[in-house]
Amino acid sequence: MADKRPALSKDPRFVALAEALKPVLQDTCPPGASGYGGALQANLHPADAEMLGGTALIRAAMRRAARQLGWQVRTVGYMGERLVLVIVQDVREAPCEVSDVLERDFTRRSQEMIERMSADGDEEVLNRLGPAPVERQTEAFLQAARLAITAHPEAWR
């Protein structure tokens, strides 16, 4: 018989991480999109993910934070030998009044991706572009996690 583990929602790390992630998720929404179109991808080292409570806890905390913002969510959690990938995405149908904003943001992100791919090792272009979107999002996630740990150190004991 398998050991019954307590629900993630009762884990204090889950609660603290979900609360800390809400502003990060809000910041992923394009300006002027009224909170629609957000998504966060965090690419983590397996040791970092384990220290935070594991892939399932991180994914559940992201889902809770997103739902508290009114998002309908799609989440992905992948744990490999050298990478833990966790994604949350708002999949709500956006109202007409923000569709132009979302379309412009999609075009901007697509252009950045094309520019990065075209750079093909051109350090000058890559330096001008700065960190890739997933690097920026991962860093924002990690900052929120550090904030949660600092604010609730007892949860991680």
Side-chain angles (χ1 to χ4, degrees), residues 2-146:
D3 290 335
K4 186 166 181 161
R5 294 169 46 183
L8 290 174
S9 62
K10 299 200 185 303
D11 190 315
R13 298 171 297 181
F14 164 82
V15 175
L17 187 57
E19 192 59 34
L21 285 172
K22 284 196 297 192
V24 174
L25 295 179
Q26 286 176 315
D27 287 346
T28 69
C29 299
S34 300
Y36 285 86
L40 177 66
Q41 176 178 335
N43 291 355
L44 307 170
H45 187 279
D48 291 335
E50 191 60 36
M51 187 269 306
L52 290 171
T55 306
L57 185 140
I58 294 167
R59 184 176 174 192
M62 290 172 97
R63 186 173 30 254
R64 174 183 264 190
R67 286 183 176 155
Q68 287 178 343
L69 295 174
W71 294 12
Q72 287 180 331
V73 296
R74 175 182 309 140
T75 62
V76 174
Y78 165 80
M79 185 169 158
E81 191 174 306
R82 295 183 287 165
L83 173 72
V84 171
L85 171 102
V86 188
I87 301 171
V88 64
Q89 178 184 22
D90 179 13
V91 295
R92 292 177 293 170
E93 184 73 32
C96 292
E97 57 268 13
V98 299
S99 61
D100 287 344
V101 171
L102 293 174
E103 185 64 33
R104 281 192 301 275
D105 184 67
F106 176 77
T107 300
R108 179 195 56 77
R109 288 183 289 118
S110 298
Q111 288 171 338
E112 180 184 352
M113 180 180 64
I114 291 167
E115 194 171 355
R116 283 181 184 286
M117 292 172 67
S118 299
D120 194 28
D122 184 336
E123 291 301 317
E124 184 178 320
V125 172
L126 293 173
N127 285 337
R128 179 176 50 77
L129 290 171
V134 72
E135 291 173 295
R136 293 188 305 261
Q137 289 185 357
T138 297
E139 184 53 36
F141 172 89
L142 290 171
Q143 286 177 355
R146 286 189 288 270

